[in-house]
Coordinates of all heavy atoms in Angstrom, one line a residue:
F175 N -13.7 -4.5 -12.7 CA -13.6 -4.6 -11.2 C -13.5 -6.1 -10.8 O -12.8 -6.5 -9.9 CB -14.9 -4.0 -10.6 CG -14.8 -2.6 -10.4 CD1 -15.4 -1.7 -11.3 CD2 -14.1 -2.0 -9.3 CE1 -15.3 -0.3 -11.1 CE2 -13.9 -0.7 -9.1 CZ -14.5 0.2 -10.0
I181 N -7.2 -10.4 -9.1 CA -5.8 -10.2 -8.9 C -5.5 -9.9 -7.4 O -4.5 -10.5 -6.9 CB -5.3 -9.0 -9.7 CG1 -5.4 -9.3 -11.2 CG2 -3.9 -8.5 -9.4 CD1 -5.1 -8.1 -12.1
N188 N -7.6 -8.5 0.3 CA -9.1 -8.6 0.3 C -9.7 -7.6 -0.6 O -9.5 -6.3 -0.4 CB -9.6 -8.3 1.8 CG -11.0 -8.6 1.9 OD1 -11.8 -8.8 1.0 ND2 -11.5 -8.6 3.2
A206 N -14.4 1.8 8.3 CA -13.7 1.2 9.3 C -13.9 1.9 10.7 O -13.7 1.3 11.7 CB -12.2 1.1 9.0
T228 N -11.0 16.5 -20.8 CA -10.3 15.8 -21.9 C -11.1 14.7 -22.5 O -11.0 14.4 -23.7 CB -9.0 15.3 -21.3 OG1 -9.2 14.4 -20.2 CG2 -8.0 16.4 -20.9
A235 N -14.1 14.8 -31.0 CA -13.4 14.4 -32.3 C -14.0 13.0 -32.7 O -14.2 12.8 -33.9 CB -11.9 14.3 -32.0
V259 N -2.3 35.0 -19.2 CA -3.3 36.0 -18.9 C -3.4 36.2 -17.4 O -3.5 37.4 -16.9 CB -4.7 35.5 -19.4 CG1 -5.8 36.4 -18.9 CG2 -4.8 35.5 -20.9
H270 N -11.2 38.9 -15.4 CA -9.9 38.2 -15.5 C -10.1 36.7 -15.7 O -9.4 36.1 -16.5 CB -9.1 38.5 -14.2 CG -7.7 38.3 -14.3 ND1 -6.8 38.6 -13.3 CD2 -6.9 38.0 -15.4 CE1 -5.5 38.5 -13.7 NE2 -5.6 38.0 -15.0
N308 N 2.1 16.6 -29.0 CA 2.1 16.5 -27.5 C 3.5 16.8 -27.0 O 3.6 17.5 -26.0 CB 1.7 15.0 -27.1 CG 0.2 14.8 -27.2 OD1 -0.6 15.7 -27.2 ND2 -0.1 13.5 -27.4
T325 N 10.0 31.7 -13.6 CA 9.6 30.8 -12.5 C 10.4 31.3 -11.3 O 11.4 32.0 -11.4 CB 9.9 29.4 -12.8 OG1 11.3 29.2 -13.0 CG2 9.1 28.9 -14.0
I348 N -16.0 24.2 3.5 CA -17.1 23.1 3.5 C -16.5 21.8 3.1 O -17.2 20.8 3.4 CB -18.2 23.5 2.6 CG1 -17.8 23.6 1.1 CG2 -18.9 24.8 3.0 CD1 -18.9 23.9 0.2
N350 N -13.5 20.8 4.2 CA -12.5 20.4 5.2 C -11.0 20.6 4.7 O -10.2 19.8 4.9 CB -12.6 19.0 5.8 CG -11.9 18.7 7.0 OD1 -11.6 19.7 7.8 ND2 -11.6 17.5 7.3
R353 N -8.8 21.0 -2.0 CA -8.6 21.9 -3.1 C -9.8 22.2 -3.9 O -9.6 22.7 -5.1 CB -7.4 21.4 -3.9 CG -6.1 21.3 -3.2 CD -5.0 20.6 -4.1 NE -5.4 19.2 -4.3 CZ -4.6 18.4 -5.2 NH1 -3.6 19.0 -5.8 NH2 -5.0 17.2 -5.3
K374 N -28.1 19.3 -31.0 CA -29.2 20.3 -31.2 C -28.9 21.4 -32.2 O -29.7 22.3 -32.3 CB -29.5 21.0 -29.8 CG -30.1 20.0 -28.8 CD -31.4 19.4 -29.2 CE -31.9 18.4 -28.1 NZ -33.2 17.8 -28.5
E380 N -23.9 18.6 -39.2 CA -23.0 18.6 -40.3 C -21.7 17.9 -39.9 O -21.1 17.2 -40.7 CB -22.7 20.1 -40.8 CG -21.8 20.2 -42.0 CD -21.7 21.6 -42.5 OE1 -22.7 22.3 -42.4 OE2 -20.7 21.9 -43.0
V398 N -16.3 19.9 -46.2 CA -15.6 18.8 -45.4 C -14.3 19.3 -44.8 O -14.1 19.1 -43.6 CB -15.4 17.6 -46.3 CG1 -14.6 16.5 -45.5 CG2 -16.8 17.0 -46.7
S405 N -13.7 20.9 -36.2 CA -13.9 19.8 -35.3 C -12.7 19.6 -34.4 O -12.8 19.5 -33.1 CB -14.2 18.5 -36.0 OG -14.3 17.4 -35.1
I455 N -19.9 10.6 -20.6 CA -18.6 11.1 -20.3 C -18.5 11.6 -18.9 O -17.5 11.4 -18.2 CB -18.2 12.2 -21.3 CG1 -17.9 11.6 -22.7 CG2 -16.9 13.0 -20.8 CD1 -17.7 12.6 -23.8
P478 N -1.8 -2.2 -3.5 CA -1.0 -1.3 -4.4 C -1.9 -0.3 -5.2 O -3.0 -0.8 -5.6 CB -0.3 -2.3 -5.3 CG -0.4 -3.6 -4.6 CD -1.6 -3.6 -3.7

Side-chain angles (χ1 to χ4, degrees):
F175 277 100
I181 293 174
N188 190 349
T228 56
V259 171
H270 207 175
N308 283 336
T325 60
I348 64 176
N350 195 24
R353 295 175 294 174
K374 297 297 181 179
E380 184 174 327
V398 172
S405 175
I455 288 172

